[in-house]
Amino acid sequence: MITLQNKIAACFGGNQVPTRNELIKQDGVDPFLKEDAEKAFLCQSWSDLFKHLKTLKDAVQGADYRLEEWSILEPSALNYYLRAYLDYLLEILTQNEPDEEFVSFLFHNLYQAVYIHKRGAFDEDQKEALREVAAHTVKTIKNHKGFEIWKHDIDNNIDMFLAELKKYS
């Protein structure tokens, strides 16, 4: 697990918070979602996002993950904030009562990010790290008693994500 955490840290995050122009492309497509994305991420570091996610631990379904807004960010911003989501995922996978909804939504939105940005979504090292995260997730939920309700959805979302990622490898 430490090796995976180190790989995530090496591939995602970075040192500089994305600027407004780096967050989203102002092209008139999905203006309301892009406005929401800007509100969610502008002037926020990936560690701010991680802290926000940790506050959702006791939230009910429909928590404010900001994943839909994240998936439309420009690739550099997308990659910057992904570290928070992946670190949070690794933390969730160790819990007795994990947030299954988050895990499912994360892999669905990873699929969306690749679908939207194609080859530009992730570089080869990032793709390899994401494959390892997916494999670790599948292995963890296989025998985890806390993953019962969303297990099938998670498996499907991981499969869809990996298939879309493979198209651009």
Side-chain angles (χ1 to χ4, degrees):
M1 172 96 107
I2 300 232
T3 305
L4 189 52
Q5 289 171 323
N6 290 339
K7 187 171 262 193
I8 289 168
C11 290
F12 303 99
N15 298 324
Q16 193 167 353
V17 175
T19 64
R20 182 174 196 246
N21 293 333
E22 294 169 324
L23 279 179
I24 53 175
K25 186 185 287 184
Q26 299 293 343
D27 57 4
V29 177
D30 291 326
F32 297 116
L33 184 56
K34 287 182 177 181
E35 183 180 312
D36 289 345
E38 189 174 299
K39 285 178 188 174
F41 295 102
L42 187 61
C43 299
Q44 298 291 309
S45 70
W46 71 264
S47 59
D48 292 334
L49 175 61
F50 183 69
K51 289 174 194 167
H52 168 76
L53 293 169
K54 288 179 70 110
T55 66
L56 303 176
K57 213 181 271 189
D58 299 321
V60 294
Q61 283 187 322
D64 181 22
Y65 303 122
R66 302 177 182 166
L67 282 162
E68 186 176 7
E69 296 86 355
W70 166 82
S71 70
I72 64 151
L73 295 177
E74 287 299 294
S76 63
L78 184 89
N79 291 311
Y80 175 80
Y81 292 107
L82 186 52
R83 180 173 179 186
Y85 289 116
L86 296 176
D87 283 350
Y88 186 60
L89 171 69
L90 294 181
E91 189 173 296
I92 283 175
L93 293 175
T94 66
Q95 297 173 351
N96 289 334
E97 295 181 25
D99 185 346
E100 298 173 274
E101 181 181 53
F102 171 81
V103 177
S104 184
F105 287 2
L106 174 62
F107 282 100
H108 172 74
N109 282 282
L110 280 165
Y111 161 80
Q112 286 291 106
V114 176
Y115 180 82
I116 291 168
H117 296 292
K118 315 282 186 248
R119 211 172 285 288
F122 305 110
D123 66 28
E124 292 306 316
D125 289 337
Q126 292 168 333
K127 289 174 187 174
E128 183 56 34
L130 290 169
R131 285 184 200 98
E132 288 182 35
V133 168
H136 174 72
T137 303
V138 168
K139 181 180 173 187
T140 301
I141 68 172
K142 185 176 184 179
N143 297 313
H144 194 302
K145 299 287 184 209
F147 286 94
E148 294 174 10
I149 298 170
W150 289 78
K151 192 175 202 171
H152 182 70
D153 288 332
I154 293 168
D155 285 337
N156 284 341
N157 285 329
I158 290 173
D159 289 345
M160 284 178 48
F161 164 63
L162 291 174
E164 193 70 14
L165 194 63
K166 187 175 182 176
K167 288 182 187 178
Y168 303 104
S169 293

